[in-house]
Amino acid sequence: MLNIILFGPPGSGKGTQSEKLIKDYHLVHLSTGNILRDEVARQTALGIEAKKLMEAGQLVPDEVVIGMIRNKIAENREAKGFIFDGFPRTTAQAEALDKLLESNDTPVSMLLALEVPEEELKQRLLKRGEIEGRTDDNETTIQNRILEYKVKTSPVADYYKAKGKLVTVPGIGSIEEIYARIRKEVDAAL
Ligand code: B4P
């Protein structure tokens, strides 16, 4: 089973590259950002709470996202593997994911970390804000999201580095160029 964590700061291209990987490797895409946006759109109790945090550029509580991922893994017992996109975002989430996958006997294969300079991240997200109107793609929220990433999320890369599972990929260039780099790493691991 191939379990890939696609990792990186906001706007690094996790969602963009996940779409390509799921097609080529027949994996199930689990994006906590997409699941949360769906809850917001349906105005569920969870969505109403999550909306405030997302618009402020803050992380949603660990127990909420861990519960979401637990359910999705349970719903996809027959999957060939998973792409975890935007999860785990804290060390507590990483520990919970490892436990969930261990109980399935299918550990994390690798954490692919997309490396993109901060200025480029801001430009990409501001551009998406203009095109798609996502409410968290504005200057103040982007700054907060980057700060949350530095403080709470970047330690997740160290957590998997200690397990020998960290693979870094330059996230600058065209989407196709970056995808070719990712494929090379995934194929080498297969
Ligand atoms: P996410 O939905 O995960 O959003 P993201 O990190 O901003 O997106 P991503 O890196 O996937 O960027 P994308 O490919 O779209 O999270 C949103 C919020 O949800 C978080 O702030 C948090 O509040 C909450 N949340 C989610 N998961 C959570 C968790 N586990 N725990 C707690 N809270 C959680 O790319 C961005 C833009 O760049 C796109 O417009 C794309 O077209 C463009 N782009 C991509 N690649 C490019 C390239 N090579 N060149 C130029 N542009 C490119």
Side-chain angles (χ1 to χ4, degrees), residues 12-13 15-20 114 120 124 127 169-183:
S12 54
T16 306
Q17 298 294 337
S18 292
E19 295 297 337
K20 297 178 133 343
L114 291 166
E120 169 79 10
R124 286 184 190 177
K127 191 171 160 200
V169 176
I172 283 287
S174 73
I175 290 168
E176 289 306 328
E177 281 164 353
I178 298 162
Y179 185 57
R181 291 174 201 144
I182 290 176
R183 276 206 72 143

mmCIF file of all heavy atoms in Angstrom, residues 12-13 15-20 114 120 124 127 169-183:
data_model
loop_
_atom_site.group_PDB
_atom_site.id
_atom_site.type_symbol
_atom_site.label_atom_id
_atom_site.label_comp_id
_atom_site.label_asym_id
_atom_site.label_seq_id
_atom_site.Cartn_x
_atom_site.Cartn_y
_atom_site.Cartn_z
ATOM 1 N N SER A 12 1.682 25.880 -1.471
ATOM 2 C CA SER A 12 2.873 25.229 -2.043
ATOM 3 C C SER A 12 2.505 24.289 -3.186
ATOM 4 O O SER A 12 3.383 23.810 -3.895
ATOM 5 C CB SER A 12 3.651 24.482 -0.961
ATOM 6 O OG SER A 12 2.811 23.586 -0.286
ATOM 7 N N GLY A 13 1.200 24.006 -3.332
ATOM 8 C CA GLY A 13 0.779 23.165 -4.453
ATOM 9 C C GLY A 13 0.354 21.763 -4.048
ATOM 10 O O GLY A 13 0.278 20.868 -4.891
ATOM 11 N N GLY A 15 -2.621 20.621 -3.062
ATOM 12 C CA GLY A 15 -3.878 20.247 -3.717
ATOM 13 C C GLY A 15 -3.673 20.004 -5.205
ATOM 14 O O GLY A 15 -4.164 19.027 -5.772
ATOM 15 N N THR A 16 -2.909 20.896 -5.827
ATOM 16 C CA THR A 16 -2.653 20.829 -7.272
ATOM 17 C C THR A 16 -1.962 19.513 -7.645
ATOM 18 O O THR A 16 -2.370 18.819 -8.585
ATOM 19 C CB THR A 16 -1.749 22.021 -7.666
ATOM 20 O OG1 THR A 16 -2.353 23.223 -7.203
ATOM 21 C CG2 THR A 16 -1.513 22.084 -9.157
ATOM 22 N N GLN A 17 -0.931 19.157 -6.920
ATOM 23 C CA GLN A 17 -0.162 17.950 -7.251
ATOM 24 C C GLN A 17 -0.909 16.676 -6.831
ATOM 25 O O GLN A 17 -0.781 15.647 -7.488
ATOM 26 C CB GLN A 17 1.229 18.009 -6.579
ATOM 27 C CG GLN A 17 2.088 19.183 -7.048
ATOM 28 C CD GLN A 17 2.496 19.096 -8.526
ATOM 29 O OE1 GLN A 17 2.516 18.025 -9.124
ATOM 30 N NE2 GLN A 17 2.804 20.236 -9.131
ATOM 31 N N SER A 18 -1.718 16.774 -5.766
ATOM 32 C CA SER A 18 -2.499 15.597 -5.333
ATOM 33 C C SER A 18 -3.421 15.121 -6.441
ATOM 34 O O SER A 18 -3.578 13.922 -6.670
ATOM 35 C CB SER A 18 -3.377 15.939 -4.125
ATOM 36 O OG SER A 18 -2.614 16.186 -3.005
ATOM 37 N N GLU A 19 -4.046 16.092 -7.124
ATOM 38 C CA GLU A 19 -4.983 15.737 -8.194
ATOM 39 C C GLU A 19 -4.305 14.857 -9.243
ATOM 40 O O GLU A 19 -4.908 13.954 -9.806
ATOM 41 C CB GLU A 19 -5.525 17.003 -8.881
ATOM 42 C CG GLU A 19 -6.377 17.896 -7.987
ATOM 43 C CD GLU A 19 -7.652 17.213 -7.502
ATOM 44 O OE1 GLU A 19 -8.103 16.268 -8.165
ATOM 45 O OE2 GLU A 19 -8.165 17.621 -6.443
ATOM 46 N N LYS A 20 -3.049 15.131 -9.530
ATOM 47 C CA LYS A 20 -2.320 14.377 -10.554
ATOM 48 C C LYS A 20 -1.942 12.989 -10.006
ATOM 49 O O LYS A 20 -2.097 11.980 -10.693
ATOM 50 C CB LYS A 20 -1.059 15.140 -10.964
ATOM 51 C CG LYS A 20 -1.390 16.487 -11.601
ATOM 52 C CD LYS A 20 -0.125 17.211 -11.934
ATOM 53 C CE LYS A 20 -0.027 17.811 -13.297
ATOM 54 N NZ LYS A 20 -0.896 17.427 -14.351
ATOM 55 N N LEU A 114 7.045 19.917 -0.270
ATOM 56 C CA LEU A 114 7.240 20.885 -1.359
ATOM 57 C C LEU A 114 7.865 22.153 -0.783
ATOM 58 O O LEU A 114 7.314 22.749 0.152
ATOM 59 C CB LEU A 114 5.888 21.225 -1.998
ATOM 60 C CG LEU A 114 5.238 20.102 -2.796
ATOM 61 C CD1 LEU A 114 3.772 20.420 -3.081
ATOM 62 C CD2 LEU A 114 5.989 19.885 -4.103
ATOM 63 N N GLU A 120 6.693 33.755 -3.090
ATOM 64 C CA GLU A 120 5.944 33.026 -4.135
ATOM 65 C C GLU A 120 4.615 32.498 -3.569
ATOM 66 O O GLU A 120 3.582 32.551 -4.245
ATOM 67 C CB GLU A 120 6.825 31.877 -4.666
ATOM 68 C CG GLU A 120 6.128 30.874 -5.563
ATOM 69 C CD GLU A 120 5.926 31.343 -7.011
ATOM 70 O OE1 GLU A 120 6.499 32.387 -7.386
ATOM 71 O OE2 GLU A 120 5.172 30.656 -7.740
ATOM 72 N N ARG A 124 0.922 33.425 -5.144
ATOM 73 C CA ARG A 124 -0.002 32.392 -5.646
ATOM 74 C C ARG A 124 -1.358 32.493 -4.949
ATOM 75 O O ARG A 124 -2.414 32.399 -5.590
ATOM 76 C CB ARG A 124 0.561 30.995 -5.364
ATOM 77 C CG ARG A 124 1.703 30.605 -6.265
ATOM 78 C CD ARG A 124 2.095 29.164 -5.937
ATOM 79 N NE ARG A 124 3.330 28.789 -6.579
ATOM 80 C CZ ARG A 124 3.914 27.613 -6.408
ATOM 81 N NH1 ARG A 124 3.377 26.715 -5.594
ATOM 82 N NH2 ARG A 124 5.038 27.327 -7.030
ATOM 83 N N LYS A 127 -3.363 35.544 -5.925
ATOM 84 C CA LYS A 127 -3.906 35.346 -7.279
ATOM 85 C C LYS A 127 -5.152 34.452 -7.211
ATOM 86 O O LYS A 127 -6.174 34.739 -7.827
ATOM 87 C CB LYS A 127 -2.827 34.718 -8.160
ATOM 88 C CG LYS A 127 -3.167 34.704 -9.624
ATOM 89 C CD LYS A 127 -1.955 34.281 -10.440
ATOM 90 C CE LYS A 127 -2.360 33.798 -11.813
ATOM 91 N NZ LYS A 127 -1.341 32.968 -12.434
ATOM 92 N N VAL A 169 11.174 18.163 -2.175
ATOM 93 C CA VAL A 169 11.036 18.394 -3.620
ATOM 94 C C VAL A 169 10.957 19.907 -3.853
ATOM 95 O O VAL A 169 10.112 20.563 -3.238
ATOM 96 C CB VAL A 169 9.737 17.724 -4.154
ATOM 97 C CG1 VAL A 169 9.530 18.041 -5.623
ATOM 98 C CG2 VAL A 169 9.759 16.234 -3.921
ATOM 99 N N PRO A 170 11.797 20.462 -4.743
ATOM 100 C CA PRO A 170 11.658 21.888 -5.040
ATOM 101 C C PRO A 170 10.284 22.148 -5.675
ATOM 102 O O PRO A 170 9.913 21.496 -6.654
ATOM 103 C CB PRO A 170 12.793 22.179 -6.036
ATOM 104 C CG PRO A 170 13.739 21.025 -5.891
ATOM 105 C CD PRO A 170 12.911 19.846 -5.481
ATOM 106 N N GLY A 171 9.543 23.101 -5.086
ATOM 107 C CA GLY A 171 8.160 23.356 -5.540
ATOM 108 C C GLY A 171 8.038 24.572 -6.428
ATOM 109 O O GLY A 171 6.967 25.145 -6.569
ATOM 110 N N ILE A 172 9.152 24.949 -7.059
ATOM 111 C CA ILE A 172 9.164 26.098 -7.965
ATOM 112 C C ILE A 172 9.329 25.596 -9.393
ATOM 113 O O ILE A 172 10.117 24.679 -9.631
ATOM 114 C CB ILE A 172 10.346 27.031 -7.585
ATOM 115 C CG1 ILE A 172 9.983 27.831 -6.343
ATOM 116 C CG2 ILE A 172 10.752 27.953 -8.697
ATOM 117 C CD1 ILE A 172 8.965 28.914 -6.599
ATOM 118 N N GLY A 173 8.597 26.228 -10.323
ATOM 119 C CA GLY A 173 8.639 25.815 -11.731
ATOM 120 C C GLY A 173 7.219 25.583 -12.188
ATOM 121 O O GLY A 173 6.267 25.922 -11.461
ATOM 122 N N SER A 174 7.058 24.995 -13.369
ATOM 123 C CA SER A 174 5.692 24.756 -13.841
ATOM 124 C C SER A 174 5.107 23.563 -13.072
ATOM 125 O O SER A 174 5.842 22.748 -12.499
ATOM 126 C CB SER A 174 5.686 24.461 -15.345
ATOM 127 O OG SER A 174 6.210 23.171 -15.573
ATOM 128 N N ILE A 175 3.785 23.466 -13.094
ATOM 129 C CA ILE A 175 3.108 22.364 -12.388
ATOM 130 C C ILE A 175 3.619 21.022 -12.909
ATOM 131 O O ILE A 175 3.875 20.095 -12.150
ATOM 132 C CB ILE A 175 1.572 22.532 -12.545
ATOM 133 C CG1 ILE A 175 1.133 23.752 -11.707
ATOM 134 C CG2 ILE A 175 0.819 21.280 -12.140
ATOM 135 C CD1 ILE A 175 -0.287 24.227 -11.959
ATOM 136 N N GLU A 176 3.823 20.929 -14.230
ATOM 137 C CA GLU A 176 4.310 19.674 -14.835
ATOM 138 C C GLU A 176 5.741 19.359 -14.402
ATOM 139 O O GLU A 176 6.078 18.199 -14.145
ATOM 140 C CB GLU A 176 4.219 19.732 -16.368
ATOM 141 C CG GLU A 176 2.810 19.690 -16.918
ATOM 142 C CD GLU A 176 1.992 18.486 -16.426
ATOM 143 O OE1 GLU A 176 2.585 17.414 -16.182
ATOM 144 O OE2 GLU A 176 0.769 18.624 -16.262
ATOM 145 N N GLU A 177 6.582 20.384 -14.359
ATOM 146 C CA GLU A 177 7.980 20.154 -13.927
ATOM 147 C C GLU A 177 8.015 19.621 -12.502
ATOM 148 O O GLU A 177 8.760 18.690 -12.180
ATOM 149 C CB GLU A 177 8.776 21.470 -13.978
ATOM 150 C CG GLU A 177 9.244 21.866 -15.360
ATOM 151 C CD GLU A 177 9.687 23.326 -15.445
ATOM 152 O OE1 GLU A 177 9.524 24.100 -14.468
ATOM 153 O OE2 GLU A 177 10.172 23.698 -16.513
ATOM 154 N N ILE A 178 7.202 20.216 -11.641
ATOM 155 C CA ILE A 178 7.189 19.787 -10.239
ATOM 156 C C ILE A 178 6.638 18.369 -10.137
ATOM 157 O O ILE A 178 7.168 17.532 -9.406
ATOM 158 C CB ILE A 178 6.372 20.786 -9.385
ATOM 159 C CG1 ILE A 178 7.034 22.163 -9.436
ATOM 160 C CG2 ILE A 178 6.233 20.305 -7.940
ATOM 161 C CD1 ILE A 178 6.151 23.315 -9.011
ATOM 162 N N TYR A 179 5.608 18.100 -10.931
ATOM 163 C CA TYR A 179 5.012 16.760 -10.888
ATOM 164 C C TYR A 179 6.029 15.703 -11.337
ATOM 165 O O TYR A 179 6.087 14.603 -10.771
ATOM 166 C CB TYR A 179 3.745 16.699 -11.744
ATOM 167 C CG TYR A 179 3.053 15.368 -11.630
ATOM 168 C CD1 TYR A 179 2.655 14.898 -10.381
ATOM 169 C CD2 TYR A 179 2.824 14.562 -12.736
ATOM 170 C CE1 TYR A 179 2.052 13.657 -10.235
ATOM 171 C CE2 TYR A 179 2.212 13.325 -12.604
ATOM 172 C CZ TYR A 179 1.830 12.880 -11.351
ATOM 173 O OH TYR A 179 1.240 11.653 -11.203
ATOM 174 N N ALA A 180 6.858 16.033 -12.331
ATOM 175 C CA ALA A 180 7.878 15.073 -12.798
ATOM 176 C C ALA A 180 8.851 14.754 -11.651
ATOM 177 O O ALA A 180 9.259 13.597 -11.477
ATOM 178 C CB ALA A 180 8.618 15.642 -14.002
ATOM 179 N N ARG A 181 9.194 15.767 -10.872
ATOM 180 C CA ARG A 181 10.103 15.527 -9.723
ATOM 181 C C ARG A 181 9.424 14.613 -8.705
ATOM 182 O O ARG A 181 10.050 13.712 -8.148
ATOM 183 C CB ARG A 181 10.434 16.859 -9.023
ATOM 184 C CG ARG A 181 11.292 17.780 -9.848
ATOM 185 C CD ARG A 181 11.467 19.147 -9.147
ATOM 186 N NE ARG A 181 11.840 20.137 -10.139
ATOM 187 C CZ ARG A 181 11.441 21.419 -10.137
ATOM 188 N NH1 ARG A 181 10.702 21.888 -9.157
ATOM 189 N NH2 ARG A 181 11.825 22.233 -11.083
ATOM 190 N N ILE A 182 8.140 14.854 -8.473
ATOM 191 C CA ILE A 182 7.405 14.046 -7.486
ATOM 192 C C ILE A 182 7.313 12.601 -7.962
ATOM 193 O O ILE A 182 7.566 11.659 -7.211
ATOM 194 C CB ILE A 182 5.995 14.654 -7.253
ATOM 195 C CG1 ILE A 182 6.132 15.979 -6.499
ATOM 196 C CG2 ILE A 182 5.088 13.693 -6.508
ATOM 197 C CD1 ILE A 182 4.816 16.717 -6.295
ATOM 198 N N ARG A 183 6.992 12.413 -9.230
ATOM 199 C CA ARG A 183 6.852 11.053 -9.773
ATOM 200 C C ARG A 183 8.138 10.259 -9.618
ATOM 201 O O ARG A 183 8.120 9.071 -9.306
ATOM 202 C CB ARG A 183 6.500 11.109 -11.269
ATOM 203 C CG ARG A 183 5.037 11.282 -11.522
ATOM 204 C CD ARG A 183 4.681 10.714 -12.875
ATOM 205 N NE ARG A 183 4.735 9.242 -12.827
ATOM 206 C CZ ARG A 183 3.890 8.453 -13.467
ATOM 207 N NH1 ARG A 183 2.927 8.970 -14.194
ATOM 208 N NH2 ARG A 183 3.990 7.148 -13.390
#
